[in-house]
Amino acid sequence: MDRDNGPRVRVPEQRAPEKPGTADALRFTVLGPVRAWRGSELLSSGSPQQRALLAALLLREGRTATASELIDAFWGEDPPSQALATIRTYASRLRKILGQDTLVSESGGYAIRTDRAALDLTLAQDLAGEAEKARAAGDRCQARTLINKVLGLWDGEALASVPGPYADNQRTRLEEWRLQLTEARLDLDLEVGCHAEAVSELTALTAAHPLRERLRELLMVALYRSGRQAEALAVYADTRRLLAEELGVDPRPELAQLQQRILRADEELARPADEPAPAPAPLRPAQLPATVPDFTGRSAFVAELGGRLATAEGSVMAVSAVAGIGGVGKTTLAVHVAHQARRHFPDGQLYVDLQGAGARAAEPETVLGSFLRALGTADSAIPDTLDERAALYRSTLDGRRILILLDNAHDAAQIRPLLPGTAGCAALVTSRVRMVDLAGAHLVDLDVMSPEEALQLFTRIVGDERVGAEREAALDVVAACGFLPLAIRIAASRLAARRTWTVSVLAAKLADGRRRLDELQAGDLAVKATFELGYGQLEPAQARAFRLLGLADGPDISLAAAAALLNLDPHAAEDLLEALVDTSLVESAAPGRYRYHDLVRLYARACAERDEEPVERESALSRLLDFYLATAAGVYALERPGDRLADHREPTQYSGLTFADRHSAQDWLYTEANSLLACVRQSSGAGAVRRAVDLLWATKDLAESGANSKQYEAAAITMRDLARSSDDARAEGRALITLTNARLVAGRFDQAERDAQRAMRLARAVDDPLPSCWAPNDLGIIALYQNRHAEGEAYLEQAIANFRADGNRPGEASALCNLSRIHLAMGNTTSAVALAQQGIDIYDELGHALRGANGRYALGLALTQSGRFADATEQLHDALAVFRDSRQRLWEGMATFRLAEVDLAAGLPAQAATKSEQALAILRGIGGEWRRGNVLTVLGRALSEIGQPGRAQVCWREALEIYETLGSAEIETVRKLLVPTLPG
């Protein structure tokens, strides 16, 4: 039973109901202001009383309303003496607007004749009916979509500003229906696993409707499934106290039973309940690569592996591991067998290339994150650690029959966390090494093809006619390939693509034992011989491109970067790359992007070491580094006009790309992130370290994005160590500033301070203006976070002086905004506002969008403490929009948190709780524990003020644990919050 009337639920913006037919058809809305349209023209519906008549007739859905019924609807038991005449006047006016065929008089009353689709209410009723049918049929996603469409038809309060007792009753009825729809949609959210996303909305709804027990029940389930058991129990305690104080009753039995299930850590409650109607699995992944149409032979292996997979239902962790040399066809066999076994795994198939033969094999936690998303787990519900992800992965697979194909594994340690743990699932593994230390695995050693199978594969690719005419030459070709499937495929594909060649021509080309026989003796030499077939047939320019491109460490390479590495114009580079794609030596990962199979990359590098002079190899990588640095510096300059990096960075010999606007520049930066950071880590040669460090500096935004923060920090550590080992104080100082930035993002302030202090000392020693300016700026920020305000003020004043001496106005603006926060912490709000405004003025003059948002963030904090809440909200909203647009997840989360602080200070605790929940979700995995503790503290304050003290205590206890672990100054503040309020 609903026990309250409170603020309304926010729904998407309303649009007029769409109706098929002529362009001038009439349409009406009552789920908001009562309005009428003719086509796209909004009609005047007159005075509030006239709109009341229109609403009363529309709500009868075509039925006639008598004059006496309308008088009762308008005035109840006390109508005026001229009531009937008034009704007739309003009806006459409406008829002129709507037309005689629409508003009709009959049986002493009036009716509106129109199609059901012309009124938003009847449209909403029809959609709600469809949603109920979809849910009964087990289609939860469709039901959610339909209910969201229904809620989207509301435009604020139904029958807004319409007077009369009838309108009041209908308004209450429609609002109750709206809440019931919202509850139904939230219930569906929980059923499909979107519990973490539902918490913030449910927090706001329970604050608006504190006595509505169904909302409390949904919030408890959402919190429990999000791993927040203590908060879920606190919601029950808050509800029980509130009901007793307000109504003198206990919670309904369902709520009490839910509390007991949470106390027991009920495993069934931890996942969506089964519906009575058959429902599909949340997601049915089908990730297997396409099988090759010309799969040949291997019948014994296909039968052996297929039989194992067919009996997986009764086995625990059915694992088959296929091992063999590179190019022997492990992946082809595994994919073919997996496709044949699909019918035994109706819940889906997962696939991943683990890149085990490369220098950097895929991390198990990264793979688990990808698998969990494919299985329907929301990003916000994916844990951070490997063990937690592996446990959730096994739980998600429980009760499902899924095949996991783990291709190109490095070793058993890499794949153990990726294995299923229950009967019904199976794993198929390929690797260059035998998995002898993988307990319980069925091991398969794959050898080369038999001569008959090899000839059959060659014939399927080249064609019966050409092979039949030269059978002996064809046997010579497959023998020269060592019967290795990948070598046969490369040779046959080249022959098939060259209609002027005969099989004998190809056989003659393969007869040169210098490139083949010696290398086909054993081991990886056989793989090299196979690739030598394709490499040896390349034109000189193609071969050079193949060798040099293999030197780059990134997962793939863009056309522009490849052109730089090869010192060619993009058109010439593209011709060479596409030719390499045709020979299968290079893959086209996407339009304009290319990559090597990991074994081919190793072979290409061996060729480069054999065929290229060291100076040419170094020059190629130097050009790539130049290209990345020049382009990234251009992106940096677009984001930070006037910054002095362009004047102080290392010069480059090769130019980079230019961009028309900051959005296209950002797209390039984030697309190339992995390749950029790989280039940095690879740049260890003489003369490269300084440029690599400057490349890190120019890509600082990657550290704050969240997606690349860990890789950025690892690259910064690598460059710091390289600079230190080569006694390059300038490079080390700059590398330490990039590392300071990464550790500030991660919330590791002690480490950041040590790095910044050393960077400042090195900068003074070599007179390097970049770290000389930024080190004291960063040290001021760290001092601010650690409540060392006088020390922070001194650092930032030093930074301002250094920036001004260097003519770095954006840097000066940054230090001014940071100094504003120091003044604010010291209680000097007037100067804090003035300093932040000075910084913003500089940013705006220079056209800084992103950094200007940082200034508005600082100004928003100062205005909040000054009590100017509306102004603070405006500044922070402007900053938030830019952070979101610039993909700066750290600052997006922090701006959302600061808006929660404004709401709390302005006496809007329900809104503060919602924004705090949103901030926690955005900052998941970035920003560090200290920032999380700050958000939890504010969330607790907001929850306490909306009558949820139990849940507030849980938040404060978690914040206290964080602060105690870090030794933060906020410990005493939170301890005071946790002291129970004593009776007065």
Side-chain angles (χ1 to χ4, degrees), residues 295-306 333 336-337 340 453:
F295 182 84
T296 303
R298 308 297 201 187
S299 55
F301 293 109
V302 170
E304 178 183 357
L305 292 168
L333 172 64
H336 181 77
V337 170
Q340 286 198 337
E453 289 176 335

Side-chain angles (χ1 to χ4, degrees), residues 33 61 119 316 371 418 631 657 732 794 957 965:
E61 300 178 21
L119 177 63
V316 176
F371 278 179
L418 310 178
T631 307
L657 301 176
E732 183 185 352
R957 281 195 292 271
T965 300

Side-chain angles (χ1 to χ4, degrees), residues 93-246:
R93 292 174 182 172
L94 281 174
R95 186 178 288 114
K96 290 179 182 179
I97 298 170
L98 303 178
Q100 294 183 354
D101 294 337
T102 300
L103 201 162
V104 299
S105 302
E106 59 183 21
S107 304
Y110 302 94
I112 288 182
R113 303 288 190 230
T114 187
D115 293 340
R116 285 185 63 81
L119 177 63
D120 60 351
L121 176 59
T122 51
L123 178 61
Q125 291 168 342
D126 292 344
L127 288 170
E130 292 178 25
E132 290 179 6
K133 293 178 183 177
R135 188 171 188 179
D139 192 345
R140 300 171 183 170
C141 294
Q142 176 66 2
R144 289 174 72 212
T145 300
L146 290 169
I147 292 177
N148 276 324
K149 286 184 178 180
V150 176
L151 292 171
L153 292 173
W154 258 270
D155 186 16
E157 182 181 57
L159 306 174
S161 303
V162 174
Y166 178 75
D168 289 340
N169 291 336
Q170 291 297 313
R171 215 172 356 253
T172 301
R173 175 181 71 85
L174 291 172
E175 179 59 26
E176 172 59 25
W177 185 44
R178 184 184 187 183
L179 279 171
Q180 290 172 358
L181 288 168
T182 302
E183 289 173 343
R185 197 259 303 153
L186 285 163
D187 198 13
L188 285 165
D189 287 348
L190 298 184
E191 288 182 9
V192 300
C194 296
H195 36 269
E197 293 84 348
V199 170
S200 61
E201 184 176 357
L202 282 164
T203 297
L205 285 167
T206 53
H209 305 277
L211 298 177
R212 199 171 181 95
E213 293 177 65
R214 178 57 178 154
L215 291 172
R216 299 273 183 154
E217 181 181 340
L218 292 170
L219 178 57
M220 289 172 66
V221 174
L223 288 166
Y224 178 68
R225 289 182 182 167
S226 300
R228 298 160 71 174
Q229 181 180 9
E231 284 188 65
L233 293 170
V235 170
Y236 178 80
D238 291 336
T239 305
R240 183 176 182 182
R241 175 192 53 76
L242 183 65
L243 292 176
E245 291 176 355
E246 297 291 331

Side-chain angles (χ1 to χ4, degrees), residues 116 250 279 343 379 390 470 597 649 653:
R116 285 185 63 81
D250 289 328
R343 66 184 184 277
D379 279 353
E470 298 181 277
H597 182 282
R649 73 171 175 85
Q653 301 299 316

Side-chain angles (χ1 to χ4, degrees), residues 676-842:
L676 287 169
L677 296 176
C679 182
V680 168
R681 291 190 298 267
Q682 189 177 12
S683 301
S684 58
V689 172
R690 286 192 174 188
R691 282 177 292 152
V693 169
D694 285 350
L695 176 55
L696 263 186
W697 193 296
T699 56
K700 279 184 177 182
D701 287 347
L702 296 178
E704 297 180 5
S705 69
N708 306 98
S709 301
K710 292 182 179 179
Q711 300 96 313
Y712 184 94
E713 183 176 2
I717 291 172
T718 298
M719 298 320 298
R720 178 204 62 189
D721 294 344
L722 280 171
R724 188 173 294 174
S725 64
S726 59
D727 292 326
D728 190 336
R730 172 175 150 164
E732 183 185 352
R734 294 189 182 190
L736 285 166
I737 293 298
T738 66
L739 188 53
T740 299
N741 189 52
R743 285 170 169 168
L744 277 171
V745 169
R748 296 196 294 275
F749 304 130
D750 290 339
Q751 291 179 337
E753 182 176 22
R754 289 194 295 272
D755 292 333
Q757 290 282 10
R758 178 168 173 79
M760 191 161 62
R761 291 193 299 271
L762 290 170
R764 288 171 179 165
V766 298
D767 194 23
D768 186 359
L770 280 181
S772 293
C773 294
W774 288 102
N777 187 64
D778 291 343
L779 287 166
I781 297 171
I782 296 165
L784 168 68
Y785 290 157
Q786 296 182 337
N787 291 330
R788 296 181 279 114
H789 302 138
E791 186 178 343
E793 183 178 28
Y795 277 129
L796 289 168
E797 287 175 349
Q798 178 186 349
I800 291 171
N802 291 354
F803 280 126
R804 287 173 176 167
D806 189 43
N808 192 333
R809 299 197 68 210
E812 177 188 350
S814 173
L816 285 169
C817 292
N818 291 328
L819 185 59
S820 165
R821 296 184 60 183
I822 289 282
H823 279 221
L824 189 64
M826 298 169 73
N828 303 326
T829 54
T830 301
S831 60
V833 170
L835 286 165
Q837 189 61 59
Q838 288 179 44
I840 291 172
D841 290 343
I842 294 174

